[in-house]
Amino acid sequence: MATIKRVGILTAGGDSPGLNAAIRGFGKAATGHYGWELIGFRDGVTGLIENRFMELTPSALSGILTVGGTILGTSRDKVHKFVVDGETRDMVPTIVQNYEEDGLDALVMLGGGGTAKNAKRLLDAGLNVISLPKTIDNDIACTDTSFGFATACEIATDAIDRLHSTAHSHHRIIIVELMGHRAGWLTLAAGLAGGADIILIPEIPYSVANIAATIKARTARGSTFSVVAVAEGARDQADTADYEAARLLVDRADSAEAKRAAKNHLAHVVDSQREHTFRLARELEAATGLESRVTILGYVQRGGTPCSADRLLATRLGVAAADMLDQGASGVLVAACGDDTCPVPLADVAGRVKLVPTDHKWVEAARRVGTGLGE
């Protein structure tokens, strides 16, 4: 058993449904069951660097289970690249000093892939750190799922349900763009649950000609509309080749100057492909003769009240984090493993992304029910 008396907690990265439920789950177990003191750093890593925090008493944790967002605030700052007066600095030494001055025995960081990397850097600096998996993208390595994903999937599914009626009424192609960065989990899940006719994800580069062929086949069968669910990171085959080539240049750069040039080129490629969904709509309209309309859900997907599944997941992960700390765990991600939880070394998580395998059961299910994947 570890000797824990005072713990800090923060939320980092994009906001996500279930963050407050996780804060509550950990906080109630920490203060009520174990008798620890708990402070919450405001605005993620920024608050940790600037040492801005609030005491998380039982009253502060009351009533937050159903609240969206995070009562602590959040940011995307990096511990080793923090801008101060226009200068980028490594703030890890400052964080270590704050940790010691605040009398902390542990730090709990709720976030996604970037947070796992920040947590690993603080672990390497000697702090007792653990992380909880939060993201609507479901792309964190070594955990079955992350809180936020289920709620976002419900919101996206509801949107696809609603778009079916207007697509049917106007005999149109309706394209709905969903979040997910480089991973297609959200689009794939919501597309299947919402009955999208075509699902396009980053892991399976698409061909406009193949999508058009699927839509024309539907028209020939009497279906005069199609709903296309497309991930924000999905690309056609040509764009994918350009993107992968640009990423390869970054990986192979053998000097700081070459690395900067390669990263600038990659940024240019990404920027040039940013409007790919609208381009897809124009191309499909030209190829099929059907009017095409685009709906981008954006931040709607991660706003509002968390669903029951995310509340349950966040609560049990939060409680498990307190239990693991009491048992002496350090430097781990509290992962969802079936109905249980398990500690996974941050070294196995940081810098990795969980993508959709092209032979995943969800992909196979899409093929079996006749959903087009643009391949």
Side-chain angles (χ1 to χ4, degrees), residues 197-271:
D197 304 299
I198 295 163
I199 299 173
L200 306 176
I201 61 176
E203 294 85 350
I204 303 177
Y206 63 82
S207 159
V208 173
N210 290 343
I211 299 171
T214 299
I215 292 172
K216 289 177 180 178
R218 284 177 48 77
T219 302
R221 295 193 299 269
S223 296
T224 58
F225 72 96
S226 290
V227 174
V228 181
V230 55
E232 62 182 351
R235 295 175 173 84
D236 65 22
Q237 292 165 0
D239 280 353
T240 297
D242 291 342
Y243 175 76
E244 293 300 334
R247 284 188 62 87
L248 189 61
L249 286 176
V250 174
D251 293 339
R252 291 182 174 178
D254 56 3
S255 68
E257 183 178 352
K259 180 77 76 173
R260 282 194 297 272
K263 285 185 175 180
N264 288 338
H265 175 65
L266 176 61
H268 174 73
V269 169
V270 170
D271 189 61

Side-chain angles (χ1 to χ4, degrees), residues 24 177 185 197 246 315:
R24 174 183 178 273
E177 181 185 291
W185 295 105
D197 304 299
T315 298

Side-chain angles (χ1 to χ4, degrees), residues 163-164 166-168 172-176 226-229 291-295:
L163 290 170
H164 270 286
T166 191
H168 178 269
R172 287 173 172 164
I173 300 169
I174 297 290
I175 302 174
V176 54
S226 290
V227 174
V228 181
E291 287 186 343
S292 297
R293 295 291 185 271
V294 172
T295 295

Side-chain angles (χ1 to χ4, degrees), residues 35-337:
W36 304 335
E37 294 180 2
L38 181 63
I39 63 173
F41 289 96
R42 295 186 180 276
D43 304 325
V45 167
T46 305
L48 188 61
I49 292 169
E50 298 173 349
N51 209 21
R52 293 186 289 108
F53 60 83
M54 62 184 288
E55 299 286 341
L56 290 178
T57 60
S59 61
L61 298 171
S62 178
I64 67 172
L65 176 65
T66 62
V67 178
T70 163
I71 62 168
L72 296 177
T74 188
S75 68
R76 296 187 182 276
D77 289 315
K78 300 176 181 179
V79 296
H80 67 307
K81 292 182 179 180
F82 187 77
V83 179
V84 181
D85 297 328
E87 179 184 347
T88 301
R89 300 181 186 175
D90 180 358
M91 301 303 289
V92 172
T94 299
I95 293 172
V96 171
Q97 181 179 340
N98 290 340
Y99 178 97
E100 294 172 349
E101 289 181 353
D102 294 337
L104 297 182
D105 301 302
L107 177 65
V108 180
M109 303 178 70
L110 282 58
T115 302
K117 288 190 283 188
N118 275 331
K120 177 63 167 56
R121 291 187 179 98
L122 296 181
L123 174 69
D124 293 342
L127 302 190
N128 182 12
V129 184
I130 65 173
S131 178
L132 270 67
K134 170 278 315 173
T135 176
I136 69 169
D137 302 336
N138 193 34
D139 62 352
I140 301 174
C142 304
T143 180
D144 290 349
T145 189
S146 54
F147 54 86
F149 175 68
T151 302
C153 189
E154 285 197 2
I155 294 169
T157 299
D158 181 67
I160 293 171
D161 288 346
R162 294 172 184 274
L163 290 170
H164 270 286
S165 60
T166 191
H168 178 269
S169 298
H170 290 275
H171 313 300
R172 287 173 172 164
I173 300 169
I174 297 290
I175 302 174
V176 54
E177 181 185 291
L178 307 179
M179 284 182 166
H181 292 292
R182 292 168 52 198
W185 295 105
L186 180 57
T187 301
L188 181 58
L192 278 171
D197 304 299
I198 295 163
I199 299 173
L200 306 176
I201 61 176
E203 294 85 350
I204 303 177
Y206 63 82
S207 159
V208 173
N210 290 343
I211 299 171
T214 299
I215 292 172
K216 289 177 180 178
R218 284 177 48 77
T219 302
R221 295 193 299 269
S223 296
T224 58
F225 72 96
S226 290
V227 174
V228 181
V230 55
E232 62 182 351
R235 295 175 173 84
D236 65 22
Q237 292 165 0
D239 280 353
T240 297
D242 291 342
Y243 175 76
E244 293 300 334
R247 284 188 62 87
L248 189 61
L249 286 176
V250 174
D251 293 339
R252 291 182 174 178
D254 56 3
S255 68
E257 183 178 352
K259 180 77 76 173
R260 282 194 297 272
K263 285 185 175 180
N264 288 338
H265 175 65
L266 176 61
H268 174 73
V269 169
V270 170
D271 189 61
S272 69
Q273 298 175 359
R274 201 171 299 280
E275 301 293 322
H276 71 92
T277 302
F278 290 98
R279 185 181 69 195
L280 174 63
R282 294 192 296 270
E283 291 172 338
L284 288 180
E285 191 168 283
T288 65
L290 296 174
E291 287 186 343
S292 297
R293 295 291 185 271
V294 172
T295 295
I296 298 178
L297 292 189
Y299 295 112
V300 169
Q301 294 160 93
R302 68 188 201 200
T305 300
C307 68
S308 58
D310 272 336
R311 295 183 208 177
L312 175 60
L313 175 64
T315 298
R316 67 187 185 89
L317 289 178
V319 170
D323 292 341
M324 289 181 191
L325 275 180
D326 180 65
Q327 293 161 13
S330 178
V332 299
L333 171 80
V334 183
C337 303

